[in-house]
């Protein structure tokens, strides 16, 4: 006999868990279906640095990412407090808003004007004026005593933050389950057509499968050198996690470099997440020696005490990416299916605002709204939410 639900959510990564928690709190009966287990190890969010840095990301992103990021940081601030009040485990998610420190070695000083010019070209001028502050050697030392004397100039991007990515996944799931979410683990590769086999009858489906939903995102817009660009593809990201008890940093640090700019995000208990920009590759094989050397050498150049750090993990993950590198929500009114995808490298930065918009669409579907794609979020985020007819996206 099938169980009745208002919403079936496919995929228990960051977006799926956020949506399950928000929808069940709103009184919806929710089923969460995941191809793997509850630890989230297969999700891109499991290896992410979870930095909330809209201004820093504006150097390589569109204005929409900055706007979604600013809205999402506000949501994270409120939601972390809500999660703390609901979590039966007593675990509080590490959440910090101490800004991002940007530094560069003297021989790479030419990277600073390139970085700031890109930020000024994308981010709102008032945000840049309010948050981007130049630092001299004394200013850097005042913020990060461990870096005293190591850099002569830097930038502070005030107001930016970070989270503990794995704690977020754990606590979100604990709170969702405690509120009544029904979970189906180890379901394998499934789509909305498999719900009956799993004993689930849902009035609406929210698809948060990331790259697992590739078949539901046909090619759209633009062409590459080899023909139409895929509607969804994976971009390889590489991240090292190290334990460095002799390094004390108080905020994420970005080290500018012409070939491999990196970020170092300090987490509780002297854990550091070290990563760089993505690689245009679908390869998900283990990290290469070259990549590991570049990441760890850059960290060592930031502070020599990283030379004695212990390497805990060298992780590789593919981020689900659309041709324009922007998130999208597609609404199949006839099938009552909402698809959320394309969070790219910005999952933690933008997921609250994107998930909030997707939940608004789901609510409209459940209410029988004949134009569920035209919710208020579609006005706030024009172009992000669109209706589909069959397999074709309507433009």
């Amino acid at each position: 006999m099938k169980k009745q639900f208002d919403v079936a959510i496919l995929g228990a990564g960051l977006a799926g868990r956020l949506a399950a928690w928000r929808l069940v709190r709103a009184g919806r009966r929710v089923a969460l279906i995941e191809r793997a287990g509850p630890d989230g190890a297969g999700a891109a969010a499991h290896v992410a640095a979870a930095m909330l840095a809209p201004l820093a990301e504006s150097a390589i992103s569109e204005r929409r990412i900055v706007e979604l990021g600013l809205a999402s940081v506000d949501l994270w601030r409120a939601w972390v407090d809500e999660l703390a009040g609901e979590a039966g485990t007593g675990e509080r998610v590490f959440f910090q808003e101490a800004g991002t420190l940007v530094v560069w070695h003297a021989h790479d000083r030419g990277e600073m004007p390139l970085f700031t010019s890109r930020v000024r070209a994308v981010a709102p001028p008032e945000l840049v004026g309010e948050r981007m502050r130049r630092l001299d050697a004394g200013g850097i030392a005042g913020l990060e005593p461990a870096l005293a004397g190591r850099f002569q100039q830097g930038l502070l991007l005030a107001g930016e933050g970070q989270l503990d990515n794995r704690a977020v996944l754990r606590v979100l799931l604990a709170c969702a389950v405690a509120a009544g979410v029904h979970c189906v683990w180890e379901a394998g590769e499934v789509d909305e057509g498999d719900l009956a086999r799993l004993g689930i009858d849902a009035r609406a489906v929210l698809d948060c499968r990331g790259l697992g939903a590739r078949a539901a995102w046909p090619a759209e817009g633009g062409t590459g050198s080899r023909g139409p660009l895929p509607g969804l593809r994976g971009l390889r990201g590489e991240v090292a996690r190290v334990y460095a008890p002799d390094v004390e940093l108080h905020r994420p640090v970005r080290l500018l470099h012409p070939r491999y700019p990196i970020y170092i995000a300090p987490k509780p208990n002297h854990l550091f997440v070290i990563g760089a920009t993505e690689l245009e590759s679908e390869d998900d094989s283990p990290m290469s020696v070259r990549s590991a050397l570049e990441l760890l050498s850059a960290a060592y150049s930031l502070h020599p005490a990283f030379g004695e750090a212990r390497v805990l993990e060298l992780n590789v993950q593919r981020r689900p990416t659309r041709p324009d590198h922007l998130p999208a929500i597609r609404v199949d009114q006839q099938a009552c299916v909402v698809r959320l995808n394309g969070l790219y490298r910005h999952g933690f930065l933008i997921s609250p605002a994107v998930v909030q918009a997707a939940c608004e669409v789901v609510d409209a579907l459940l209410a029988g709204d004949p134009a569920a794609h035209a919710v208020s979020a579609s006005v706030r985020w024009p172009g992000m939410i669109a209706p589909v007819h069959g397999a074709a996206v309507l433009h």
Side-chain angles (χ1 to χ4, degrees):
M1 183 175 178
K2 291 187 287 187
K3 294 183 178 180
Q4 306 294 315
F5 297 94
D6 295 313
V7 188
I9 299 174
L10 305 178
L14 176 60
R17 295 184 191 212
L18 273 173
W21 176 59
R22 298 310 297 176
L23 286 167
V24 78
R25 289 179 89 255
R28 301 300 186 184
R29 296 167 299 165
V30 179
L32 180 63
I33 300 98
E34 167 58 33
R35 65 179 179 179
D39 62 1
H46 189 259
V47 302
M51 293 184 297
L52 311 179
L55 194 55
E57 285 297 305
S58 68
I60 55 172
S61 303
E62 303 288 335
R63 170 69 76 91
R64 171 56 53 83
I65 298 301
V66 180
E67 295 167 342
L68 286 166
L70 292 170
S72 293
V73 172
D74 290 340
L75 289 171
W76 275 125
R77 191 181 303 113
W79 289 0
V80 164
D81 287 340
E82 292 177 17
L83 287 167
E86 297 175 20
T89 62
E91 181 177 12
R92 183 177 181 87
V93 173
F94 167 72
F95 172 67
Q96 180 193 63
E97 290 182 280
T100 299
L101 177 63
V102 182
V103 294
W104 53 89
H105 294 296
H107 52 273
D108 295 325
R109 57 183 175 272
E111 293 301 304
M112 188 275 285
L114 294 175
F115 176 84
T116 56
S117 65
R118 289 195 294 262
V119 170
R120 293 182 188 280
V122 173
E126 63 276 11
L127 185 71
V128 176
E130 175 188 346
R131 296 195 177 187
M132 190 162 70
R133 307 171 190 168
R134 295 208 176 195
L135 301 172
D136 58 14
I140 295 172
L143 288 174
E144 297 291 354
L147 301 183
R150 300 195 57 79
F151 299 95
Q152 298 306 304
Q153 292 181 304
L155 298 168
L156 175 66
L157 307 181
E160 303 204 318
Q162 62 166 328
L163 295 153
D164 180 339
N165 63 317
R166 294 180 184 177
V168 169
L169 294 176
R170 287 194 302 270
V171 174
L172 274 173
L173 182 59
C175 290
V177 170
V181 170
H182 172 74
C183 297
V184 178
W185 305 112
E186 307 292 348
E189 298 292 345
V190 298
D191 60 21
E192 60 272 20
D194 295 299
L195 293 179
R197 174 177 59 82
L198 297 173
I200 292 172
D201 183 16
R203 297 169 57 204
V205 174
L206 176 57
D207 184 356
C208 300
R209 290 175 295 159
L211 289 175
R214 209 188 287 250
W217 291 82
E220 58 171 284
T223 58
S225 59
R226 300 180 181 178
L229 294 172
L232 193 67
R233 72 188 193 280
L235 283 184
R236 180 181 173 100
E238 299 176 330
V239 175
R241 294 172 73 92
V242 306
Y243 172 67
D246 297 324
V247 180
E248 190 76 38
L249 294 177
H250 302 92
R251 57 188 51 77
V253 177
R254 296 195 179 222
L255 180 64
L256 300 184
H257 185 278
R259 193 158 64 90
Y260 47 91
I262 71 160
Y263 56 78
I264 300 175
K267 307 300 183 182
N269 303 315
H270 298 284
L271 177 68
F272 294 83
V273 178
I274 306 166
T277 53
E278 76 287 333
L279 302 173
E280 185 66 55
S281 172
E282 290 268 13
D283 179 21
D284 61 356
S285 63
M287 188 182 300
S288 69
V289 170
R290 173 182 293 184
S291 291
L293 285 173
E294 288 181 346
L295 287 178
L296 300 177
S297 296
Y300 177 75
S301 76
L302 182 79
H303 196 295
F306 275 112
E308 297 303 317
R310 296 299 181 256
V311 179
L312 304 179
E313 301 174 21
L314 295 174
N315 293 311
V316 171
Q317 186 56 267
R318 292 177 301 160
R319 290 86 168 257
T321 308
R322 297 180 58 252
D324 59 5
H325 296 293
L326 295 175
I329 296 168
R330 297 293 178 251
V331 188
D332 187 334
Q333 186 92 32
Q334 183 175 0
C336 287
V337 175
V338 179
R339 304 193 193 278
L340 182 165
N341 222 311
L343 294 179
Y344 182 35
R345 57 175 282 138
H346 310 298
F348 278 91
L349 174 60
I350 66 175
S351 56
V354 178
V355 166
Q356 186 179 62
C359 289
E360 188 177 343
V361 174
V362 169
D363 284 338
L365 278 178
L366 293 175
D369 187 338
H373 63 280
V375 294
S376 60
S378 67
V379 177
R380 184 177 187 186
W381 312 117
M384 188 173 76
I385 304 171
V388 301
H389 180 68
V393 177
L394 301 181
H395 293 286

